Amino acid sequence: MTNLELIAYAEAHAEKHETLPREQIIQLLSIEPESEEWAALGAAARRVAHKLTHDRAYLWGAIGVDYAPCSMNCDFCSLGEKWGIVKQTRAYDEQATLDQVREYAQAGVRWIVLRTTEFYSQDALGDMIRTIRANVPGDYEIGLNIGEFDLAKANWLAACGVNFIYHSLRLGEGRDTRFDPKVRLSTLQAVKDSPLKLVFLVEPVGVEHTNEEIADLALLTAQYGAIVSGSMARIPVPGTPLGVHPQVSDARMAQIIAVIRLACGACIPDICIHPGTQLAMEFGANVTVIETGSIPRDTCCCSGGKWHQFDASRAKELFAKAGYTVYQTAEQAR
């Protein structure tokens, strides 16, 4: 099939609960950004987003709980202790965490995730989740972005009140990270086998990654039953090994979003872009991220503010321009 024929085929099949074949995903990823075919790809993905989401958009609010050196030393992460970027340790205390969760909940954030470095106490996080549940009412869902764990721990986290886990097999896992890909996959399986829901983005996308790598991870998000897929760009952090490479263009990120939207179809109706851009929303993304606290994509700790001043109001503004309305729950939108 030609690219335009494949785009039409993918759009026609997107409401089915099946993914596109790997070869077709790679072909769509090979389209030249900012070409006429690229524009057709984005338009098709936006039409599919309209059909699958009824123009409902959602916000994801992240809280980086601890700002501390991490011994895993991922080549894209500012927190790696080898890079010497983190000079002092900071952590959100209980009250600051409650205040931030409350702010997100009142702003209409659907998914609120606490993010920690690899070896932060999971037992302490369980206590924190119970405290949040007892003190911050609302229709939000609460999740964690933490280290590796097994099925028993997954079930325990669910019993503590955790709704979802953000976890991924990162691009370049085992090459640009010190993690064993098999261990990452084991944690993904533990989430799948537990009551927890999974959020799994294709990330961190850089100019160094191939269409084949991106296609494989897009399919993996569906294989492990993610409720949200999408993509996150690798942000070049000065002082990290991958900081010397430029950031992927907004046009390329929008293309990746459009391809994931068409590739996963009804299997994963909610597709996230981070950092958020109006272009990616116009290419099919209906979820974006606002974050505060420790940011592994920057050399700072956003204490009280939002990363790059991208807050709920700004995200809602971009979604409105792209034709969406932001809701806090799926039920509100029906």
Side-chain angles (χ1 to χ4, degrees), residues 139-216:
D139 292 326
Y140 63 90
E141 297 176 51
I142 194 81
L144 298 174
N145 179 355
I146 57 176
E148 311 304 322
F149 53 85
D150 59 15
L151 179 57
K153 180 66 76 170
N155 288 330
W156 179 80
L157 290 170
C160 290
V162 177
N163 299 112
F164 70 95
I165 294 291
Y166 179 82
H167 202 73
S168 70
L169 182 75
R170 278 83 58 91
L171 288 161
E173 199 78 80
R175 179 188 70 222
D176 299 330
T177 75
R178 315 289 83 82
F179 288 83
D180 181 345
K182 292 180 180 177
V183 176
R184 301 287 291 184
L185 292 173
S186 177
T187 300
L188 287 168
Q189 188 64 47
V191 176
K192 186 177 182 180
D193 292 340
S194 78
L196 297 168
K197 292 176 281 188
L198 174 68
V199 178
F200 178 177
L201 304 190
V202 177
E203 56 100 345
V205 177
V207 295
E208 65 274 16
H209 299 124
T210 66
N211 293 329
E212 289 77 8
E213 289 177 287
I214 294 168
D216 287 340

Side-chain angles (χ1 to χ4, degrees), residues 46-299:
R46 182 62 184 90
R47 289 191 294 269
V48 168
H50 169 72
K51 291 177 182 176
L52 295 178
T53 72
H54 305 289
D55 295 327
R56 302 189 301 265
Y58 305 105
L59 302 182
W60 167 2
I63 304 170
V65 174
D66 61 328
Y67 184 68
C70 177
S71 61
M72 297 310 290
N73 297 309
C74 296
D75 289 351
F76 44 77
C77 180
S78 64
L79 303 179
E81 64 181 3
K82 278 189 178 180
W83 324 142
I85 295 171
V86 178
K87 303 296 186 183
Q88 54 183 335
T89 298
R90 299 186 214 169
Y92 262 59
D93 61 25
E94 181 179 286
Q95 189 57 54
T97 303
L98 289 173
D99 290 344
Q100 186 56 68
V101 170
R102 188 174 292 109
E103 179 191 317
Y104 279 154
Q106 291 173 349
V109 173
R110 177 175 178 179
W111 293 294
I112 301 175
V113 59
L114 307 183
R115 182 179 59 232
T116 71
T117 50
E118 183 67 13
F119 303 108
Y120 194 93
S121 168
Q122 293 178 7
D123 289 341
L125 283 171
D127 291 338
M128 190 180 295
I129 294 295
R130 285 189 286 263
T131 299
I132 291 169
R133 288 296 188 200
N135 289 275
V136 185
D139 292 326
Y140 63 90
E141 297 176 51
I142 194 81
L144 298 174
N145 179 355
I146 57 176
E148 311 304 322
F149 53 85
D150 59 15
L151 179 57
K153 180 66 76 170
N155 288 330
W156 179 80
L157 290 170
C160 290
V162 177
N163 299 112
F164 70 95
I165 294 291
Y166 179 82
H167 202 73
S168 70
L169 182 75
R170 278 83 58 91
L171 288 161
E173 199 78 80
R175 179 188 70 222
D176 299 330
T177 75
R178 315 289 83 82
F179 288 83
D180 181 345
K182 292 180 180 177
V183 176
R184 301 287 291 184
L185 292 173
S186 177
T187 300
L188 287 168
Q189 188 64 47
V191 176
K192 186 177 182 180
D193 292 340
S194 78
L196 297 168
K197 292 176 281 188
L198 174 68
V199 178
F200 178 177
L201 304 190
V202 177
E203 56 100 345
V205 177
V207 295
E208 65 274 16
H209 299 124
T210 66
N211 293 329
E212 289 77 8
E213 289 177 287
I214 294 168
D216 287 340
L217 279 197
L219 288 170
L220 204 64
T221 67
Q223 179 183 326
Y224 280 95
I227 61 162
V228 181
S229 183
S231 192
M232 179 174 67
R234 177 184 55 71
I235 307 300
V237 180
T240 62
L242 289 175
V244 298
H245 299 297
Q247 186 172 336
V248 171
S249 70
D250 288 349
R252 173 60 169 168
M253 287 303 298
Q255 175 184 11
I256 291 169
I257 286 294
V259 172
I260 294 172
R261 168 66 73 191
L262 294 175
C264 294
C267 296
I268 311 178
D270 293 316
I271 301 297
C272 179
I273 178 64
H274 188 41
T277 66
Q278 185 180 334
L279 181 59
M281 295 168 185
E282 292 169 350
F283 272 53
N286 73 313
V287 180
T288 197
V289 181
I290 55 179
E291 55 183 337
T292 190
S294 175
I295 311 292
R297 287 164 293 285
D298 210 328
T299 57

